[in-house]
Amino acid sequence: MLIRPERPDDVDAIDRLTTVAFEPQPFSDGSEAPIVRALRASGDLTLSLVAEDDGGVVGHVAFSPVTIDGSHDGWFGLGPISVRLDLQRRGIGRAMVTEGLRRLRDQGARGCALIGDPEIYRRMGFTADGALTHLDLDPTAVQHVTFGGPSPRGELRFARAFDAAGH
Ligand SMILES: CC(C)(COP(=O)(O)OP(=O)(O)OC[C@H]1O[C@@H](n2cnc3c(N)ncnc32)[C@H](O)[C@@H]1OP(=O)(O)O)[C@@H](O)C(=O)NCCC(=O)NCCS
C-alpha cells in the first residue's frame, strides 16, 4: 500500500470514498465530502494524502490550517479522514495519519488538532487535556499532537470550509 499526496485524477475517488465511509456513521450529516471539496477550492487543503492499493484509492486524509484563540501559529487540523469500509481496522488510517504528521512536522508545523473519538485517536498519539476547546463539545474529543512546543490552550477553529457543517 502506498501513501501519497492526492493527484488531480484522485478527486472523484476521494469524493466517493468519503461519502461512502461516513454514510453509516450516526454522527455524520453528509457534509464531509463537500468539506473536502470546499477545502480544495478555497486553497485550505494544506495536505491531502491518499492510500492507494492495487491502483485504487482506499483511504484519504485532509489537513488544513486551524486557529487557536484566533491565531494560526503553525497549527493544522486533521480531517475528514476515511478508509474504505471493507478495509477498516487494518492499519490504513494509522498509516495515513503517521505520514501526514511526519510531513507537517517536516514543513515546520507546531502541531495538529482534531475532533474525534478518543478511542481511535489516542491510539494514534493524540491527547486531550481539556485546555483545547471547541464550541460546547466535550473537551475529551478535542485532541492534539504537538511537535515539540507547548501544548495548545484555547478555542480551536477550523477553516471556513467547515462552517456549513457547524464546526
Ligand atoms: C476512523 C477511520 C479513518 C480509522 O481508520 P482505520 O484504518 O479503520 O484505523 P486503523 O486500522 O489504522 O486503526 C488505528 C487504531 O484505532 C483503532 N480503531 C479504529 N477504528 C476504531 C473504532 N471504530 N473504534 C475503536 N477503535 C478503533 C484501531 O483498533 C487501532 O488501534 P490499535 O492498533 O491499538 O488496535 C476509519 O475507520 C473510517 O474511515 N471510519 C469512517 C469515517 C470516520 O468515522 N472518520 C473519522 C471521523 S472522526
Side-chain angles (χ1 to χ4, degrees), residues 16 42 67 92 96 101 104:
R16 281 194 299 275
S42 61
T67 62
I92 296 173
M96 294 192 301
L101 296 179
L104 286 179

Side-chain angles (χ1 to χ4, degrees), residues 76-79 112-117 121 126 141-144 156 158:
F76 293 87
L78 185 158
C112 183
L114 61 77
I115 287 167
D117 181 351
Y121 296 102
F126 285 80
V142 189
Q143 300 157 75
H144 69 273
L156 175 69
F158 290 87

Side-chain angles (χ1 to χ4, degrees), residues 17-18 20-25 27 32 60 80-85 87-97 114-117 119-121 123-124:
L17 168 73
T18 305
V20 172
F22 276 92
E23 201 275 330
Q25 299 298 333
F27 59 79
E32 296 83 6
H60 174 258
I81 177 170
S82 320
V83 171
R84 207 173 80 185
L85 288 172
L87 296 176
Q88 290 177 5
R89 309 290 293 256
R90 296 186 191 187
I92 296 173
R94 181 199 299 282
M96 294 192 301
V97 170
L114 61 77
I115 287 167
D117 181 351
E119 272 302 304
I120 300 177
Y121 296 102
R123 295 163 188 264
M124 301 190 192

Side-chain angles (χ1 to χ4, degrees), residues 22-119:
F22 276 92
E23 201 275 330
Q25 299 298 333
F27 59 79
S28 171
D29 58 4
S31 64
E32 296 83 6
I35 286 172
V36 176
R37 288 200 298 269
L39 285 170
R40 195 180 287 114
S42 61
D44 279 334
L45 194 52
T46 307
L47 181 60
S48 176
L49 295 178
V50 297
E52 182 185 304
D53 201 11
D54 288 334
V57 170
V58 298
H60 174 258
V61 60
F63 296 89
S64 55
V66 294
T67 62
I68 297 169
D69 278 352
S71 167
H72 165 52
D73 218 13
W75 278 84
F76 293 87
L78 185 158
I81 177 170
S82 320
V83 171
R84 207 173 80 185
L85 288 172
D86 58 323
L87 296 176
Q88 290 177 5
R89 309 290 293 256
R90 296 186 191 187
I92 296 173
R94 181 199 299 282
M96 294 192 301
V97 170
T98 302
E99 177 62 9
L101 296 179
R102 187 188 69 75
R103 286 174 179 256
L104 286 179
R105 190 189 291 111
D106 285 355
Q107 290 170 19
R110 293 183 64 191
C112 183
L114 61 77
I115 287 167
D117 181 351
E119 272 302 304

